[in-house]
């Protein structure tokens, strides 16, 4: 194994996809930034001073603090909670969130899948097939008759909103700041959230995990929805108080839920969400991006940074995401 020196080429350390994925990362970056050395996260031959960049998913706590010349930490995913939970994280190093084109496309596809599943009552169809029971029924409404509200109109929420609108849904959004996005109203604040939820048939969670968003979807706020409304959560599991969600499904206040993310992942086999007849539970699969697409995004940021540009999609500690 070559030993890098502080004066040698910049090193990008990778911890995403397991050690077997390293050749694919090296190929992808080699084609884009041939001057960069791409090495695995715990390669014992790495000189810490030579590490300029790190691309990580769930980095081992304490490791990122060992590189004195680290310039940028890249999250291999859109969320950064798996990085900032490390108390030793060097505060001086910017963290860039993954915002590849493919991530936005795939999350938006998943949200449409979830909204259509709730609209057409896919859980009922799955139950009928499992019981080999012919169960002919009509949907309560069509997409143009269905109001979808997206909590979190950022990179992913905006893409999902456009795709849902393309399917005919009536789409509104909610975020930290009120604005109009492509003609769609985005409101902000708890009062507006109450008003929005009162006219929502399907609520979509695409919020990051922050102290402000944790537990937002609780019994108190679920009661703001019209009875029988649906929920699609593809942001973070911490958004939802699971016991409150289960109670609302049992009482009929919620008609169904499509959940891709959970407070504890992997969701344990004993979790009620696996078995509830009104829940479609998936294994944090909404968003994905190929290594090539993620490498292209990271390489673009590194090249821009070298030209003195400030990276977009920076984690901002003050706002928590
Ligand atoms: P983003 O571009 O940063 O957007 C976040 C949005 O959330 C912004 O619109 C922001 O509002 C809003 N927001 C943040 N804190 C808020 C608060 N306290 N109250 C109201 N709105 C708030 O993030 P993104 O790229 O869209 O990703 C969103 C999340 O999706 C990620 O953090 C990640 O956890 C999750 N994710 C999940 C998957 C999956 O496979 N399930 C894949 C990728 C990402 P403003 O615009 O007004 O600031």
């Amino acid at each position: 194994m070559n030993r890098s020196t502080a004066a040698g080429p910049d090193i990008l350390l990778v911890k995403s996809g397991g050690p077997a994925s390293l050749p694919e990362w090296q190929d992808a970056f080699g084609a884009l930034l041939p001057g960069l050395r791409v090495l695995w996260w715990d390669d014992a031959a790495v000189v810490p001073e030579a590490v300029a960049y790190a691309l990580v998913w769930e980095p081992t706590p304490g490791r990122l603090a060992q590189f004195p010349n680290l310039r940028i930490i890249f999250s291999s995913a859109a969320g950064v909670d798996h990085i900032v939970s490390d108390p030793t994280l060097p505060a001086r190093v910017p963290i860039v969130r993954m915002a590849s084109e493919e991530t936005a496309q795939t999350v938006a596809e998943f949200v449409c899948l979830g909204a259509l599943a709730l609209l057409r009552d896919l859980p009922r169809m799955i139950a009928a097939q499992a019981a080999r029971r012919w169960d002919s029924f009509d949907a309560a409404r069509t997409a143009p008759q269905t109001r979808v509200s997206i909590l979190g109109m950022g990179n992913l929420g905006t893409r999902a909103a456009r795709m849902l609108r393309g399917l005919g849904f009536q789409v509104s959004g909610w975020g930290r700041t009120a604005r109009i996005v492509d003609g769609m109203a985005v409101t902000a604040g708890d009062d507006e959230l109450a008003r929005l939820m009162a006219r929502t048939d399907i609520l979509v969670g695409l919020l990051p995990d922050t102290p402000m968003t944790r537990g937002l979807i609780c019994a108190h706020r679920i009661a703001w929805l019209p009875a029988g409304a649906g929920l699609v959560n593809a942001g973070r599991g911490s958004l939802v108080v699971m016991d409150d969600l289960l109670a609302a499904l049992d009482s009929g206040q919620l008609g169904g839920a499509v959940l891709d993310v959970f407070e504890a992942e992997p969701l344990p086999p004993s979790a009620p969400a696996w078995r509830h007849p009104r829940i479609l539970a998936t294994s944090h699969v909404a968003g994905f991006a190929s290594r090539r697409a993620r490498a292209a995004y990271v390489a673009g940021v590194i090249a821009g940074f070298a030209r003195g540009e400030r990276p977009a999609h920076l984690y901002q500690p003050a706002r928590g995401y």
Side-chain angles (χ1 to χ4, degrees):
M1 198 171 293
N2 288 334
R3 195 169 169 82
S4 302
T5 66
D10 285 342
I11 288 178
L12 166 73
L13 283 190
V14 176
K15 181 184 183 291
S16 176
S21 67
L22 183 63
E24 197 182 335
W25 287 117
Q26 287 172 325
D27 281 355
F29 280 109
L32 299 160
L33 293 175
L36 191 69
R37 292 198 69 210
V38 180
L39 298 174
W40 191 249
W41 172 248
D42 56 2
D43 188 329
V46 167
V47 174
E49 289 75 13
V51 175
Y53 308 103
L55 168 61
V56 292
W57 171 251
E58 294 183 345
T60 321
R63 179 83 172 134
L64 289 165
Q66 295 171 3
F67 309 117
N69 299 319
L70 192 59
R71 287 176 220 149
I72 303 179
I73 299 166
F74 292 93
S75 171
S76 184
V80 296
D81 35 323
H82 61 107
I83 299 174
V84 300
S85 54
D86 176 357
T88 69
L89 198 67
R92 63 171 183 85
V93 185
I95 302 173
V96 173
R97 295 176 294 121
M98 184 56 58
S100 79
E101 177 63 21
E102 281 184 18
T103 308
Q105 174 70 19
T106 51
V107 170
E109 288 169 358
F110 183 92
V111 168
C112 290
L113 176 82
L116 289 170
L118 293 171
L119 178 69
R120 301 304 301 268
D121 203 348
L122 189 62
R124 178 169 167 176
M125 295 176 187
I126 291 171
Q129 182 176 0
R132 303 181 202 189
R133 186 183 64 245
W134 192 256
D135 180 19
S136 178
F137 67 98
D138 296 331
R141 55 174 78 85
T142 65
Q145 294 162 346
T146 303
R147 301 159 298 179
V148 180
S149 300
I150 303 182
L151 309 183
M153 282 287 280
N155 191 35
L156 305 183
T158 303
R159 180 66 75 92
R162 290 192 190 115
M163 209 181 274
L164 285 162
R165 191 171 59 177
L167 289 171
F169 287 102
Q170 301 173 37
V171 186
S172 307
W174 184 82
R176 270 184 336 130
T177 40
R179 57 189 185 275
I180 302 287
V181 174
D182 283 358
M184 293 176 277
V186 180
T187 53
D190 215 41
D191 290 348
E192 287 299 331
L193 182 59
R195 273 191 275 278
L196 181 69
M197 286 177 67
R199 45 185 167 78
T200 293
D201 302 305
I202 298 176
L203 189 68
V204 175
L206 280 175
L207 284 165
D209 172 59
T210 75
M212 304 290 289
T213 62
R214 258 165 241 155
L216 189 77
I217 300 305
C218 58
H220 167 67
R221 292 192 181 87
I222 291 173
W224 292 344
L225 289 164
L231 171 73
V232 178
N233 190 22
R236 280 293 182 263
S238 57
L239 178 73
V240 176
V241 179
M242 187 54 87
D243 286 347
D244 293 0
L245 175 89
L246 293 167
L249 287 166
D250 289 341
S251 73
Q253 171 57 19
L254 275 180
V258 177
L259 306 176
D260 185 54
V261 283
F262 300 89
E263 185 92 54
E265 295 180 1
L267 188 64
S270 60
W274 285 127
R275 304 186 301 277
H276 199 287
R278 304 306 304 164
I279 293 180
L280 291 178
T282 55
S283 310
H284 201 143
V285 294
F288 59 86
S290 63
R291 294 197 180 110
R292 198 154 291 279
R294 281 178 286 166
Y297 173 76
V298 170
V301 175
I302 291 177
F305 190 69
R307 292 191 298 268
E309 293 166 16
R310 185 174 186 271
H313 304 290
L314 276 179
Y315 164 66
Q316 294 179 31
R319 65 177 196 185
Y321 69 99

